[in-house]
PDB file of all heavy atoms in Angstrom:
ATOM      1  N   ARG O 797     -45.195  52.813 -17.789  1.00  0.00           N
ATOM      2  CA  ARG O 797     -43.870  52.476 -17.290  1.00  0.00           C
ATOM      3  C   ARG O 797     -43.529  51.014 -17.590  1.00  0.00           C
ATOM      4  O   ARG O 797     -42.422  50.681 -18.016  1.00  0.00           O
ATOM      5  CB  ARG O 797     -43.803  52.725 -15.782  1.00  0.00           C
ATOM      6  CG  ARG O 797     -42.428  52.467 -15.188  1.00  0.00           C
ATOM      7  CD  ARG O 797     -42.457  52.581 -13.676  1.00  0.00           C
ATOM      8  NE  ARG O 797     -42.940  53.872 -13.274  1.00  0.00           N
ATOM      9  CZ  ARG O 797     -42.215  54.985 -13.249  1.00  0.00           C
ATOM     10  NH1 ARG O 797     -40.947  54.920 -13.630  1.00  0.00           N
ATOM     11  NH2 ARG O 797     -42.732  56.122 -12.866  1.00  0.00           N
ATOM     12  N   GLN O 883     -51.504  50.901 -24.686  1.00  0.00           N
ATOM     13  CA  GLN O 883     -52.136  52.010 -25.411  1.00  0.00           C
ATOM     14  C   GLN O 883     -53.650  51.831 -25.509  1.00  0.00           C
ATOM     15  O   GLN O 883     -54.402  52.802 -25.513  1.00  0.00           O
ATOM     16  CB  GLN O 883     -51.530  52.131 -26.826  1.00  0.00           C
ATOM     17  CG  GLN O 883     -50.056  52.477 -26.837  1.00  0.00           C
ATOM     18  CD  GLN O 883     -49.750  53.707 -26.016  1.00  0.00           C
ATOM     19  OE1 GLN O 883     -50.288  54.791 -26.266  1.00  0.00           O
ATOM     20  NE2 GLN O 883     -48.911  53.561 -24.994  1.00  0.00           N
ATOM     21  N   ILE O 899     -66.900  61.581  -8.388  1.00  0.00           N
ATOM     22  CA  ILE O 899     -67.526  61.030  -7.182  1.00  0.00           C
ATOM     23  C   ILE O 899     -66.959  61.713  -5.938  1.00  0.00           C
ATOM     24  O   ILE O 899     -67.678  62.034  -4.989  1.00  0.00           O
ATOM     25  CB  ILE O 899     -67.288  59.508  -7.118  1.00  0.00           C
ATOM     26  CG1 ILE O 899     -68.029  58.807  -8.270  1.00  0.00           C
ATOM     27  CG2 ILE O 899     -67.749  58.939  -5.778  1.00  0.00           C
ATOM     28  CD1 ILE O 899     -67.688  57.333  -8.409  1.00  0.00           C
ATOM     29  N   ARG O 968     -59.901  74.541  -2.860  1.00  0.00           N
ATOM     30  CA  ARG O 968     -59.526  73.126  -2.779  1.00  0.00           C
ATOM     31  C   ARG O 968     -58.939  72.621  -4.097  1.00  0.00           C
ATOM     32  O   ARG O 968     -58.064  71.763  -4.111  1.00  0.00           O
ATOM     33  CB  ARG O 968     -60.751  72.305  -2.381  1.00  0.00           C
ATOM     34  CG  ARG O 968     -60.421  70.851  -2.066  1.00  0.00           C
ATOM     35  CD  ARG O 968     -61.624  70.117  -1.498  1.00  0.00           C
ATOM     36  NE  ARG O 968     -61.877  70.491  -0.125  1.00  0.00           N
ATOM     37  CZ  ARG O 968     -62.900  71.244   0.262  1.00  0.00           C
ATOM     38  NH1 ARG O 968     -63.759  71.681  -0.616  1.00  0.00           N
ATOM     39  NH2 ARG O 968     -63.080  71.549   1.542  1.00  0.00           N
ATOM     40  N   VAL O1038     -74.573  84.052  -7.015  1.00  0.00           N
ATOM     41  CA  VAL O1038     -74.934  82.833  -7.751  1.00  0.00           C
ATOM     42  C   VAL O1038     -74.009  81.689  -7.353  1.00  0.00           C
ATOM     43  O   VAL O1038     -74.450  80.553  -7.128  1.00  0.00           O
ATOM     44  CB  VAL O1038     -74.879  83.075  -9.274  1.00  0.00           C
ATOM     45  CG1 VAL O1038     -75.015  81.757 -10.035  1.00  0.00           C
ATOM     46  CG2 VAL O1038     -75.976  84.033  -9.698  1.00  0.00           C
ATOM     47  N   PHE O1068     -75.869  93.441  -0.022  1.00  0.00           N
ATOM     48  CA  PHE O1068     -76.446  93.297  -1.360  1.00  0.00           C
ATOM     49  C   PHE O1068     -76.351  91.857  -1.841  1.00  0.00           C
ATOM     50  O   PHE O1068     -77.323  91.298  -2.389  1.00  0.00           O
ATOM     51  CB  PHE O1068     -75.707  94.229  -2.332  1.00  0.00           C
ATOM     52  CG  PHE O1068     -76.226  94.186  -3.742  1.00  0.00           C
ATOM     53  CD1 PHE O1068     -77.320  94.942  -4.121  1.00  0.00           C
ATOM     54  CD2 PHE O1068     -75.630  93.363  -4.692  1.00  0.00           C
ATOM     55  CE1 PHE O1068     -77.806  94.904  -5.411  1.00  0.00           C
ATOM     56  CE2 PHE O1068     -76.109  93.309  -5.983  1.00  0.00           C
ATOM     57  CZ  PHE O1068     -77.194  94.085  -6.345  1.00  0.00           C
ATOM     58  N   THR O1098     -84.103  84.552 -14.319  1.00  0.00           N
ATOM     59  CA  THR O1098     -83.518  85.699 -15.012  1.00  0.00           C
ATOM     60  C   THR O1098     -83.312  86.834 -14.017  1.00  0.00           C
ATOM     61  O   THR O1098     -84.224  87.170 -13.254  1.00  0.00           O
ATOM     62  CB  THR O1098     -84.430  86.181 -16.154  1.00  0.00           C
ATOM     63  OG1 THR O1098     -84.670  85.089 -17.053  1.00  0.00           O
ATOM     64  CG2 THR O1098     -83.772  87.321 -16.922  1.00  0.00           C
ATOM     65  N   GLY O1158     -83.934 101.072   0.280  1.00  0.00           N
ATOM     66  CA  GLY O1158     -84.597 100.491  -0.884  1.00  0.00           C
ATOM     67  C   GLY O1158     -85.896  99.795  -0.526  1.00  0.00           C
ATOM     68  O   GLY O1158     -86.293  99.706   0.641  1.00  0.00           O
ATOM     69  N   GLU O1168     -95.121  82.651 -13.354  1.00  0.00           N
ATOM     70  CA  GLU O1168     -93.823  83.255 -13.050  1.00  0.00           C
ATOM     71  C   GLU O1168     -93.943  84.154 -11.829  1.00  0.00           C
ATOM     72  O   GLU O1168     -94.973  84.795 -11.608  1.00  0.00           O
ATOM     73  CB  GLU O1168     -93.310  84.078 -14.232  1.00  0.00           C
ATOM     74  CG  GLU O1168     -92.941  83.257 -15.458  1.00  0.00           C
ATOM     75  CD  GLU O1168     -92.316  84.116 -16.542  1.00  0.00           C
ATOM     76  OE1 GLU O1168     -92.525  85.347 -16.507  1.00  0.00           O
ATOM     77  OE2 GLU O1168     -91.619  83.560 -17.416  1.00  0.00           O
TER      78      GLU O1168
END
Side-chain angles (χ1 to χ4, degrees):
R797 183 186 303 280
Q883 296 307 302
I899 294 171
R968 189 172 285 108
V1038 170
F1068 181 84
T1098 303
E1168 292 186 340

